[in-house]
């Protein structure tokens, strides 16, 4: 797949992504001709870590003007029709204007978005500096100019502050709850998905604070192996194995981490260590 404009950045994507995106555009162009001026793929696709059967499709749709009630209704129907045909992977993202992108994430109002394939009217988490940073150079252009061909308001200080806030507000709280074995997060942490999400999630944020760049979960795992002491390598390798990153050889889990309770403890300790290290003296 490549952008529909002549200067779009070319990128081959998985056929499952191609099918969903083309289906969505067919619906929007029929229901609201001319409304969608830009469509960019972000997330794992932009960062080279898309895993068929596991990853969602993250997107940013761009329009010229703020959406009217009729526009919102048409987009909601387009997403419903897309989801009716393609249950997986989820097609998740936000609907913004070119002006929103240029002004920066902090100035972006509540915008319609989809999460787990379901359309919502406002309040998207993906309105954040990470999304804006990916749009500057990593995003895959399906429709509209390639990254670099449109204005995106980014600020290294805002990215740093948001990253620190996410570590303090979300991940430190998650660590506390995960440390309570019978809490919802404590029970969820016995599963492999939660372990991969936690270990690689905090590693991504640590990487951003250290480098100012955005990386994938697989890239974060490789960064963690290079950055943290060997004692942490078993749980990092286990997280990469559970994540199923195609670019990382899947090592067999070490014997202690075959036990979900021991694995939860190792992941919880790792999350606490990374959060403390990332937020210390910053």
């Amino acid at each position: 797949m490549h952008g529909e404009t002549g200067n779009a950045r070319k990128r081959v994507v998985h056929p499952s992504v191609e099918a969903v995106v083309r289906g969505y555009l067919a619906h929007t162009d029929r229901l609201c001709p001319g409304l969608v001026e830009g469509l960019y793929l972000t997330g794992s696709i932009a960062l080279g870590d898309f895993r068929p059967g596991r990853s969602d499709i993250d997107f940013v749709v761009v329009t010229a003007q703020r959406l009217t009630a009729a526009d919102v209704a048409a987009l909601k129907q387009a997403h419903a029709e897309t989801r009716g045909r393609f249950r997986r992977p989820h097609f998740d993202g936000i609907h913004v204007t070119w002006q929103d992108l240029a002004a920066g994430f902090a100035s972006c109002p509540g915008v319609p978005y989809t999460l787990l394939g379901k359309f919502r009217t406002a309040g998207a988490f993906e309105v954040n500096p990470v999304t804006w940073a990916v749009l500057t150079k990593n995003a895959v252009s399906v429709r509209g100019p390639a990254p670099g061909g449109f204005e995106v308001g980014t600020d290294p200080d805002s990215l740093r502050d948001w990253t620190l806030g996410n570590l303090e507000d979300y991940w430190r709280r998650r660590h506390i709850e995960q440390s309570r074995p019978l809490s919802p997060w404590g029970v969820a942490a016995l599963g492999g998905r939660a372990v991969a999400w936690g270990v690689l999630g905090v590693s991504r944020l640590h990487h951003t604070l250290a480098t100012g760049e955005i990386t994938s979960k697989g890239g974060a795992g490789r960064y963690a192996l290079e950055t943290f002491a060997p004692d942490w390598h078993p749980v990092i390798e286990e997280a990469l194995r559970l994540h199923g990153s195609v670019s990382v050889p899947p090592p067999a889990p070490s014997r202690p981490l075959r036990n979900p309770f021991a694995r939860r403890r190792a992941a919880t300790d790792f999350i606490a260590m990374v959060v403390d290290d990332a937020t210390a003296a910053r």
Side-chain angles (χ1 to χ4, degrees), residues 31-265:
L31 293 165
C32 40
L35 181 66
V36 175
E37 295 189 351
L39 196 160
Y40 298 91
L41 303 181
T42 57
S44 61
I45 297 171
L47 299 171
D49 197 30
F50 181 80
R51 296 154 300 130
R54 297 190 181 201
S55 299
D56 295 329
I57 301 171
D58 298 304
F59 71 84
V60 174
V61 159
V62 189
T63 60
Q65 304 295 332
R66 190 71 59 213
L67 298 174
T68 66
D71 294 334
V72 172
L75 287 174
K76 182 177 182 179
Q77 183 177 343
H79 280 287
E81 292 182 10
T82 303
R83 187 166 183 253
R85 183 177 176 188
F86 303 103
R87 304 295 293 182
R88 295 289 190 279
H90 291 306
F91 189 54
D92 290 344
I94 58 177
H95 305 76
V96 298
T97 67
W98 297 112
Q99 184 178 354
D100 292 332
L101 296 183
F105 87 98
S107 299
C108 186
V111 295
Y113 70 103
T114 56
L115 180 64
L116 300 180
K118 296 182 179 180
F119 190 88
R120 294 168 168 82
T121 55
F125 172 78
E126 295 305 323
V127 175
N128 64 51
V130 173
T131 301
W132 263 242
V134 170
L135 285 166
T136 62
K137 60 182 178 180
N138 303 109
V140 177
S141 173
V142 178
R143 175 175 293 180
F150 57 95
E151 187 177 357
V152 182
T154 57
D155 174 18
D157 290 337
S158 293
L159 177 60
R160 176 183 175 277
D161 291 345
W162 182 90
T163 302
L164 285 169
N166 191 243
L167 284 165
E168 288 284 7
D169 298 338
Y170 176 79
W171 287 105
R172 195 176 294 283
R173 179 166 53 91
R174 183 184 179 104
H175 164 257
I176 293 170
E177 289 298 319
Q178 196 166 301
S179 300
R180 298 168 178 158
L182 298 181
S183 72
W185 272 350
V187 173
L190 293 173
R193 184 185 179 100
V195 169
W197 175 262
V199 170
L200 302 180
V202 294
S203 297
R204 288 183 78 181
L205 297 172
H206 193 287
H207 172 274
T208 295
L209 287 173
T211 68
E213 300 291 331
I214 311 300
T215 190
S216 65
K217 290 187 177 70
R222 294 188 292 275
Y223 165 81
L225 289 172
E226 296 170 357
T227 303
F228 301 117
D231 287 350
W232 297 110
H233 288 189
V235 72
I236 299 168
E237 291 171 348
E238 175 69 348
L240 285 168
R241 184 187 72 82
L242 293 165
H243 175 63
S245 178
V246 295
S247 59
V248 179
S254 62
R255 184 172 296 278
L257 295 184
R258 294 175 189 172
N259 181 307
F261 295 95
R263 186 176 64 187
R264 177 177 64 183
R265 170 49 56 194

